[in-house]
mmCIF file of all heavy atoms in Angstrom:
data_model
loop_
_atom_site.group_PDB
_atom_site.id
_atom_site.type_symbol
_atom_site.label_atom_id
_atom_site.label_comp_id
_atom_site.label_asym_id
_atom_site.label_seq_id
_atom_site.Cartn_x
_atom_site.Cartn_y
_atom_site.Cartn_z
ATOM 1 N N GLY A 1 19.798 -3.989 -5.354
ATOM 2 C CA GLY A 1 20.697 -3.562 -4.144
ATOM 3 C C GLY A 1 21.707 -4.623 -3.782
ATOM 4 O O GLY A 1 21.790 -5.642 -4.233
ATOM 5 N N GLU A 2 22.552 -4.247 -2.722
ATOM 6 C CA GLU A 2 23.613 -5.209 -2.270
ATOM 7 C C GLU A 2 22.978 -6.338 -1.485
ATOM 8 O O GLU A 2 22.032 -6.222 -0.735
ATOM 9 C CB GLU A 2 24.579 -4.483 -1.351
ATOM 10 C CG GLU A 2 25.399 -3.398 -1.975
ATOM 11 C CD GLU A 2 26.366 -4.044 -3.096
ATOM 12 O OE1 GLU A 2 26.878 -5.048 -2.888
ATOM 13 O OE2 GLU A 2 26.608 -3.351 -4.068
ATOM 14 N N PRO A 3 23.554 -7.464 -1.705
ATOM 15 C CA PRO A 3 23.016 -8.708 -0.916
ATOM 16 C C PRO A 3 22.946 -8.509 0.621
ATOM 17 O O PRO A 3 22.156 -9.127 1.280
ATOM 18 C CB PRO A 3 23.965 -9.824 -1.347
ATOM 19 C CG PRO A 3 24.538 -9.424 -2.661
ATOM 20 C CD PRO A 3 24.642 -7.928 -2.568
ATOM 21 N N SER A 4 23.898 -7.637 1.073
ATOM 22 C CA SER A 4 24.002 -7.441 2.570
ATOM 23 C C SER A 4 22.793 -6.558 2.993
ATOM 24 O O SER A 4 22.480 -6.459 4.229
ATOM 25 C CB SER A 4 25.260 -6.714 2.904
ATOM 26 O OG SER A 4 25.423 -5.467 2.232
ATOM 27 N N GLN A 5 22.083 -5.909 1.976
ATOM 28 C CA GLN A 5 21.015 -4.934 2.461
ATOM 29 C C GLN A 5 19.743 -5.732 2.601
ATOM 30 O O GLN A 5 19.421 -6.606 1.645
ATOM 31 C CB GLN A 5 20.824 -3.784 1.478
ATOM 32 C CG GLN A 5 22.072 -2.862 1.367
ATOM 33 C CD GLN A 5 21.803 -1.891 0.324
ATOM 34 O OE1 GLN A 5 21.018 -1.975 -0.594
ATOM 35 N NE2 GLN A 5 22.579 -0.744 0.376
ATOM 36 N N PRO A 6 18.876 -5.515 3.544
ATOM 37 C CA PRO A 6 17.565 -6.194 3.664
ATOM 38 C C PRO A 6 16.647 -5.813 2.636
ATOM 39 O O PRO A 6 16.648 -4.643 2.137
ATOM 40 C CB PRO A 6 17.113 -5.960 5.086
ATOM 41 C CG PRO A 6 17.714 -4.567 5.352
ATOM 42 C CD PRO A 6 19.101 -4.653 4.690
ATOM 43 N N ILE A 7 15.735 -6.700 2.298
ATOM 44 C CA ILE A 7 14.706 -6.387 1.273
ATOM 45 C C ILE A 7 13.583 -5.758 2.086
ATOM 46 O O ILE A 7 13.059 -6.292 3.011
ATOM 47 C CB ILE A 7 14.163 -7.600 0.609
ATOM 48 C CG1 ILE A 7 15.303 -8.217 -0.278
ATOM 49 C CG2 ILE A 7 12.891 -7.318 -0.241
ATOM 50 C CD1 ILE A 7 14.947 -9.520 -0.880
ATOM 51 N N THR A 8 13.250 -4.454 1.678
ATOM 52 C CA THR A 8 12.191 -3.724 2.403
ATOM 53 C C THR A 8 10.991 -3.697 1.504
ATOM 54 O O THR A 8 11.018 -4.014 0.336
ATOM 55 C CB THR A 8 12.638 -2.284 2.800
ATOM 56 O OG1 THR A 8 12.926 -1.596 1.585
ATOM 57 C CG2 THR A 8 13.888 -2.402 3.653
ATOM 58 N N LEU A 9 9.916 -3.180 2.089
ATOM 59 C CA LEU A 9 8.598 -2.925 1.381
ATOM 60 C C LEU A 9 8.857 -2.020 0.139
ATOM 61 O O LEU A 9 8.333 -2.331 -0.855
ATOM 62 C CB LEU A 9 7.657 -2.428 2.276
ATOM 63 C CG LEU A 9 6.164 -2.342 1.688
ATOM 64 C CD1 LEU A 9 5.644 -3.727 1.379
ATOM 65 C CD2 LEU A 9 5.223 -1.725 2.751
ATOM 66 N N GLU A 10 9.744 -0.975 0.341
ATOM 67 C CA GLU A 10 9.912 -0.112 -0.802
ATOM 68 C C GLU A 10 10.770 -0.729 -1.880
ATOM 69 O O GLU A 10 10.628 -0.315 -3.098
ATOM 70 C CB GLU A 10 10.752 1.146 -0.303
ATOM 71 C CG GLU A 10 9.803 1.997 0.584
ATOM 72 C CD GLU A 10 9.577 1.524 2.062
ATOM 73 O OE1 GLU A 10 10.391 0.681 2.372
ATOM 74 O OE2 GLU A 10 8.753 2.038 2.655
ATOM 75 N N THR A 11 11.632 -1.620 -1.586
ATOM 76 C CA THR A 11 12.509 -2.295 -2.608
ATOM 77 C C THR A 11 11.986 -3.545 -3.157
ATOM 78 O O THR A 11 12.644 -4.251 -3.943
ATOM 79 C CB THR A 11 13.916 -2.545 -2.025
ATOM 80 O OG1 THR A 11 13.805 -3.441 -0.887
ATOM 81 C CG2 THR A 11 14.577 -1.294 -1.532
ATOM 82 N N LEU A 12 10.760 -3.993 -2.732
ATOM 83 C CA LEU A 12 10.135 -5.120 -3.308
ATOM 84 C C LEU A 12 9.826 -4.847 -4.749
ATOM 85 O O LEU A 12 9.230 -3.897 -5.160
ATOM 86 C CB LEU A 12 8.783 -5.469 -2.689
ATOM 87 C CG LEU A 12 8.769 -6.159 -1.338
ATOM 88 C CD1 LEU A 12 7.384 -6.371 -0.872
ATOM 89 C CD2 LEU A 12 9.404 -7.603 -1.490
ATOM 90 N N PRO A 13 10.439 -5.580 -5.746
ATOM 91 C CA PRO A 13 10.093 -5.418 -7.136
ATOM 92 C C PRO A 13 8.718 -5.607 -7.458
ATOM 93 O O PRO A 13 7.915 -6.346 -6.735
ATOM 94 C CB PRO A 13 11.000 -6.534 -7.866
ATOM 95 C CG PRO A 13 11.943 -6.993 -6.863
ATOM 96 C CD PRO A 13 11.377 -6.822 -5.477
ATOM 97 N N ALA A 14 8.255 -4.739 -8.374
ATOM 98 C CA ALA A 14 6.743 -4.783 -8.748
ATOM 99 C C ALA A 14 6.238 -6.213 -9.178
ATOM 100 O O ALA A 14 5.106 -6.631 -8.813
ATOM 101 C CB ALA A 14 6.475 -3.854 -9.851
ATOM 102 N N GLU A 15 7.155 -6.930 -9.691
ATOM 103 C CA GLU A 15 6.828 -8.356 -10.224
ATOM 104 C C GLU A 15 6.530 -9.265 -9.078
ATOM 105 O O GLU A 15 5.766 -10.217 -9.283
ATOM 106 C CB GLU A 15 7.956 -8.917 -11.139
ATOM 107 C CG GLU A 15 8.172 -8.229 -12.379
ATOM 108 C CD GLU A 15 9.087 -7.034 -12.337
ATOM 109 O OE1 GLU A 15 9.390 -6.685 -11.094
ATOM 110 O OE2 GLU A 15 9.458 -6.440 -13.319
ATOM 111 N N VAL A 16 7.162 -9.049 -7.941
ATOM 112 C CA VAL A 16 6.969 -9.982 -6.828
ATOM 113 C C VAL A 16 6.225 -9.239 -5.594
ATOM 114 O O VAL A 16 6.251 -9.812 -4.534
ATOM 115 C CB VAL A 16 8.285 -10.536 -6.320
ATOM 116 C CG1 VAL A 16 8.981 -11.331 -7.440
ATOM 117 C CG2 VAL A 16 9.242 -9.387 -5.891
ATOM 118 N N SER A 17 5.737 -8.117 -5.875
ATOM 119 C CA SER A 17 5.048 -7.424 -4.749
ATOM 120 C C SER A 17 3.792 -8.236 -4.338
ATOM 121 O O SER A 17 2.948 -8.586 -5.217
ATOM 122 C CB SER A 17 4.522 -5.987 -5.183
ATOM 123 O OG SER A 17 3.775 -5.436 -4.147
ATOM 124 N N VAL A 18 3.652 -8.448 -3.069
ATOM 125 C CA VAL A 18 2.604 -9.398 -2.581
ATOM 126 C C VAL A 18 1.651 -8.584 -1.798
ATOM 127 O O VAL A 18 0.759 -9.246 -1.110
ATOM 128 C CB VAL A 18 3.128 -10.567 -1.774
ATOM 129 C CG1 VAL A 18 3.853 -11.527 -2.695
ATOM 130 C CG2 VAL A 18 3.966 -10.060 -0.659
ATOM 131 N N VAL A 19 1.792 -7.303 -1.743
ATOM 132 C CA VAL A 19 0.715 -6.443 -1.009
ATOM 133 C C VAL A 19 -0.584 -6.482 -1.789
ATOM 134 O O VAL A 19 -0.493 -6.573 -3.018
ATOM 135 C CB VAL A 19 1.237 -5.001 -0.934
ATOM 136 C CG1 VAL A 19 0.199 -4.171 -0.075
ATOM 137 C CG2 VAL A 19 2.658 -4.938 -0.211
ATOM 138 N N ARG A 20 -1.628 -6.437 -1.114
ATOM 139 C CA ARG A 20 -2.892 -6.544 -1.867
ATOM 140 C C ARG A 20 -3.296 -5.233 -2.651
ATOM 141 O O ARG A 20 -3.947 -4.356 -2.163
ATOM 142 C CB ARG A 20 -4.052 -6.838 -0.817
ATOM 143 C CG ARG A 20 -4.078 -8.230 -0.359
ATOM 144 C CD ARG A 20 -5.123 -8.536 0.577
ATOM 145 N NE ARG A 20 -4.644 -8.225 1.932
ATOM 146 C CZ ARG A 20 -5.337 -8.532 3.075
ATOM 147 N NH1 ARG A 20 -6.301 -9.233 3.115
ATOM 148 N NH2 ARG A 20 -4.739 -8.211 4.308
ATOM 149 N N SER A 21 -2.552 -5.083 -3.750
ATOM 150 C CA SER A 21 -2.571 -3.855 -4.514
ATOM 151 C C SER A 21 -3.688 -3.818 -5.473
ATOM 152 O O SER A 21 -3.985 -2.660 -5.998
ATOM 153 C CB SER A 21 -1.245 -3.674 -5.238
ATOM 154 O OG SER A 21 -1.022 -4.754 -6.113
ATOM 155 N N GLY A 22 -4.401 -4.877 -5.826
ATOM 156 C CA GLY A 22 -5.337 -4.866 -6.820
ATOM 157 C C GLY A 22 -6.494 -4.030 -6.494
ATOM 158 O O GLY A 22 -7.048 -3.317 -7.376
ATOM 159 N N ALA A 23 -6.917 -3.896 -5.174
ATOM 160 C CA ALA A 23 -8.105 -3.170 -4.790
ATOM 161 C C ALA A 23 -7.619 -1.826 -4.148
ATOM 162 O O ALA A 23 -8.380 -1.004 -3.626
ATOM 163 C CB ALA A 23 -8.816 -3.949 -3.745
ATOM 164 N N ALA A 24 -6.238 -1.507 -4.317
ATOM 165 C CA ALA A 24 -5.707 -0.347 -3.616
ATOM 166 C C ALA A 24 -6.380 1.036 -4.116
ATOM 167 O O ALA A 24 -6.762 1.891 -3.320
ATOM 168 C CB ALA A 24 -4.213 -0.231 -3.540
ATOM 169 N N SER A 25 -6.410 1.104 -5.450
ATOM 170 C CA SER A 25 -6.906 2.251 -6.071
ATOM 171 C C SER A 25 -8.373 2.493 -5.781
ATOM 172 O O SER A 25 -8.811 3.641 -5.366
ATOM 173 C CB SER A 25 -6.662 2.227 -7.588
ATOM 174 O OG SER A 25 -7.338 1.136 -8.127
ATOM 175 N N ASN A 26 -9.084 1.370 -5.718
ATOM 176 C CA ASN A 26 -10.518 1.494 -5.357
ATOM 177 C C ASN A 26 -10.715 1.923 -3.871
ATOM 178 O O ASN A 26 -11.574 2.705 -3.554
ATOM 179 C CB ASN A 26 -11.316 0.150 -5.575
ATOM 180 C CG ASN A 26 -11.350 -0.206 -7.026
ATOM 181 O OD1 ASN A 26 -11.391 0.735 -7.987
ATOM 182 N ND2 ASN A 26 -11.457 -1.468 -7.402
ATOM 183 N N GLU A 27 -9.885 1.394 -2.941
ATOM 184 C CA GLU A 27 -9.921 1.699 -1.577
ATOM 185 C C GLU A 27 -9.622 3.133 -1.421
ATOM 186 O O GLU A 27 -10.190 3.933 -0.605
ATOM 187 C CB GLU A 27 -8.904 0.932 -0.777
ATOM 188 C CG GLU A 27 -9.317 -0.547 -0.539
ATOM 189 C CD GLU A 27 -10.619 -0.547 0.313
ATOM 190 O OE1 GLU A 27 -10.654 -0.021 1.413
ATOM 191 O OE2 GLU A 27 -11.583 -1.130 -0.114
ATOM 192 N N ASN A 28 -8.644 3.732 -2.205
ATOM 193 C CA ASN A 28 -8.276 5.077 -2.089
ATOM 194 C C ASN A 28 -9.464 5.971 -2.478
ATOM 195 O O ASN A 28 -9.776 7.003 -1.835
ATOM 196 C CB ASN A 28 -7.030 5.491 -2.969
ATOM 197 C CG ASN A 28 -5.820 4.951 -2.299
ATOM 198 O OD1 ASN A 28 -5.795 4.599 -1.134
ATOM 199 N ND2 ASN A 28 -4.765 4.776 -3.114
ATOM 200 N N GLU A 29 -10.115 5.636 -3.559
ATOM 201 C CA GLU A 29 -11.279 6.431 -3.996
ATOM 202 C C GLU A 29 -12.348 6.474 -3.008
ATOM 203 O O GLU A 29 -13.013 7.368 -2.676
ATOM 204 C CB GLU A 29 -11.775 5.883 -5.234
ATOM 205 C CG GLU A 29 -10.811 6.100 -6.517
ATOM 206 C CD GLU A 29 -11.302 5.331 -7.750
ATOM 207 O OE1 GLU A 29 -12.327 4.758 -7.751
ATOM 208 O OE2 GLU A 29 -10.544 5.359 -8.754
ATOM 209 N N ARG A 30 -12.625 5.311 -2.307
ATOM 210 C CA ARG A 30 -13.644 5.182 -1.404
ATOM 211 C C ARG A 30 -13.299 6.015 -0.163
ATOM 212 O O ARG A 30 -14.206 6.691 0.414
ATOM 213 C CB ARG A 30 -13.827 3.635 -0.870
ATOM 214 C CG ARG A 30 -14.549 2.793 -1.852
ATOM 215 C CD ARG A 30 -14.591 1.329 -1.336
ATOM 216 N NE ARG A 30 -15.361 1.388 -0.069
ATOM 217 C CZ ARG A 30 -15.154 0.394 0.824
ATOM 218 N NH1 ARG A 30 -14.525 -0.591 0.617
ATOM 219 N NH2 ARG A 30 -15.859 0.491 1.992
ATOM 220 N N MET A 31 -12.066 5.982 0.268
ATOM 221 C CA MET A 31 -11.669 6.782 1.476
ATOM 222 C C MET A 31 -11.709 8.257 1.203
ATOM 223 O O MET A 31 -12.029 9.073 2.031
ATOM 224 C CB MET A 31 -10.214 6.306 1.993
ATOM 225 C CG MET A 31 -10.278 4.872 2.661
ATOM 226 S SD MET A 31 -8.626 4.445 3.243
ATOM 227 C CE MET A 31 -8.589 5.477 4.562
ATOM 228 N N ILE A 32 -11.348 8.661 -0.047
ATOM 229 C CA ILE A 32 -11.384 10.150 -0.383
ATOM 230 C C ILE A 32 -12.811 10.644 -0.262
ATOM 231 O O ILE A 32 -12.981 11.823 0.185
ATOM 232 C CB ILE A 32 -10.786 10.366 -1.797
ATOM 233 C CG1 ILE A 32 -9.277 10.148 -1.822
ATOM 234 C CG2 ILE A 32 -11.185 11.746 -2.341
ATOM 235 C CD1 ILE A 32 -8.702 10.117 -3.202
ATOM 236 N N ALA A 33 -13.801 9.791 -0.493
ATOM 237 C CA ALA A 33 -15.168 10.194 -0.378
ATOM 238 C C ALA A 33 -15.669 10.203 1.043
ATOM 239 O O ALA A 33 -16.781 10.612 1.201
ATOM 240 C CB ALA A 33 -16.039 9.335 -1.319
ATOM 241 N N MET A 34 -14.888 9.695 1.920
ATOM 242 C CA MET A 34 -15.301 9.678 3.339
ATOM 243 C C MET A 34 -14.912 10.980 4.229
ATOM 244 O O MET A 34 -13.920 11.469 3.930
ATOM 245 C CB MET A 34 -14.740 8.453 4.100
ATOM 246 C CG MET A 34 -15.132 7.128 3.613
ATOM 247 S SD MET A 34 -14.350 5.820 4.458
ATOM 248 C CE MET A 34 -14.848 4.361 3.467
ATOM 249 N N PRO A 35 -15.730 11.287 5.156
ATOM 250 C CA PRO A 35 -15.213 12.219 6.148
ATOM 251 C C PRO A 35 -14.032 11.728 7.009
ATOM 252 O O PRO A 35 -13.882 10.447 6.979
ATOM 253 C CB PRO A 35 -16.529 12.400 7.067
ATOM 254 C CG PRO A 35 -17.673 11.938 6.457
ATOM 255 C CD PRO A 35 -17.080 10.858 5.473
ATOM 256 N N LEU A 36 -13.277 12.557 7.536
ATOM 257 C CA LEU A 36 -12.072 12.180 8.199
ATOM 258 C C LEU A 36 -12.279 11.150 9.314
ATOM 259 O O LEU A 36 -11.567 10.099 9.332
ATOM 260 C CB LEU A 36 -11.297 13.302 8.796
ATOM 261 C CG LEU A 36 -10.055 13.051 9.647
ATOM 262 C CD1 LEU A 36 -9.050 12.403 8.782
ATOM 263 C CD2 LEU A 36 -9.544 14.329 10.294
ATOM 264 N N ARG A 37 -13.315 11.250 10.056
ATOM 265 C CA ARG A 37 -13.616 10.345 11.122
ATOM 266 C C ARG A 37 -13.969 8.988 10.592
ATOM 267 O O ARG A 37 -13.437 7.980 11.123
ATOM 268 C CB ARG A 37 -14.833 10.939 11.933
ATOM 269 C CG ARG A 37 -15.115 10.168 13.139
ATOM 270 C CD ARG A 37 -16.187 10.793 13.986
ATOM 271 N NE ARG A 37 -16.499 10.122 15.205
ATOM 272 C CZ ARG A 37 -17.405 10.550 16.123
ATOM 273 N NH1 ARG A 37 -17.999 11.690 15.985
ATOM 274 N NH2 ARG A 37 -17.622 9.847 17.198
ATOM 275 N N ASP A 38 -14.731 8.877 9.593
ATOM 276 C CA ASP A 38 -15.089 7.565 9.035
ATOM 277 C C ASP A 38 -13.921 6.933 8.391
ATOM 278 O O ASP A 38 -13.735 5.720 8.373
ATOM 279 C CB ASP A 38 -16.156 7.770 7.896
ATOM 280 C CG ASP A 38 -17.501 8.205 8.516
ATOM 281 O OD1 ASP A 38 -17.699 8.123 9.754
ATOM 282 O OD2 ASP A 38 -18.417 8.590 7.877
ATOM 283 N N ALA A 39 -12.998 7.794 7.626
ATOM 284 C CA ALA A 39 -11.833 7.218 6.996
ATOM 285 C C ALA A 39 -10.822 6.638 7.906
ATOM 286 O O ALA A 39 -10.189 5.641 7.849
ATOM 287 C CB ALA A 39 -11.119 8.352 6.218
ATOM 288 N N ARG A 40 -10.743 7.430 9.147
ATOM 289 C CA ARG A 40 -9.781 6.932 10.259
ATOM 290 C C ARG A 40 -10.307 5.543 10.783
ATOM 291 O O ARG A 40 -9.477 4.624 11.060
ATOM 292 C CB ARG A 40 -9.714 7.958 11.370
ATOM 293 C CG ARG A 40 -8.722 7.534 12.415
ATOM 294 C CD ARG A 40 -8.820 8.451 13.638
ATOM 295 N NE ARG A 40 -8.405 9.767 13.344
ATOM 296 C CZ ARG A 40 -9.260 10.866 13.426
ATOM 297 N NH1 ARG A 40 -10.449 10.692 13.916
ATOM 298 N NH2 ARG A 40 -8.746 12.008 13.149
#
């Protein structure tokens, strides 16, 4: 993007993404198995 545009979470390149993504898929699987109240 243009240098004048801020870097947002969506535009973070995958190579430098610092969100804790390693356990994200496992977390999603765990939450899918929960009732809505427990997941919230």
Side-chain angles (χ1 to χ4, degrees):
E2 294 295 323
S4 59
Q5 296 177 341
I7 295 172
T8 63
L9 188 61
E10 290 75 18
T11 59
L12 279 177
E15 293 86 349
V16 296
S17 178
V18 292
V19 182
R20 284 177 277 195
S21 58
S25 59
N26 291 336
E27 282 297 306
N28 288 339
E29 291 174 2
R30 286 180 58 199
M31 290 184 69
I32 288 172
M34 294 179 186
L36 176 60
R37 185 174 183 177
D38 292 345
R40 183 188 297 120

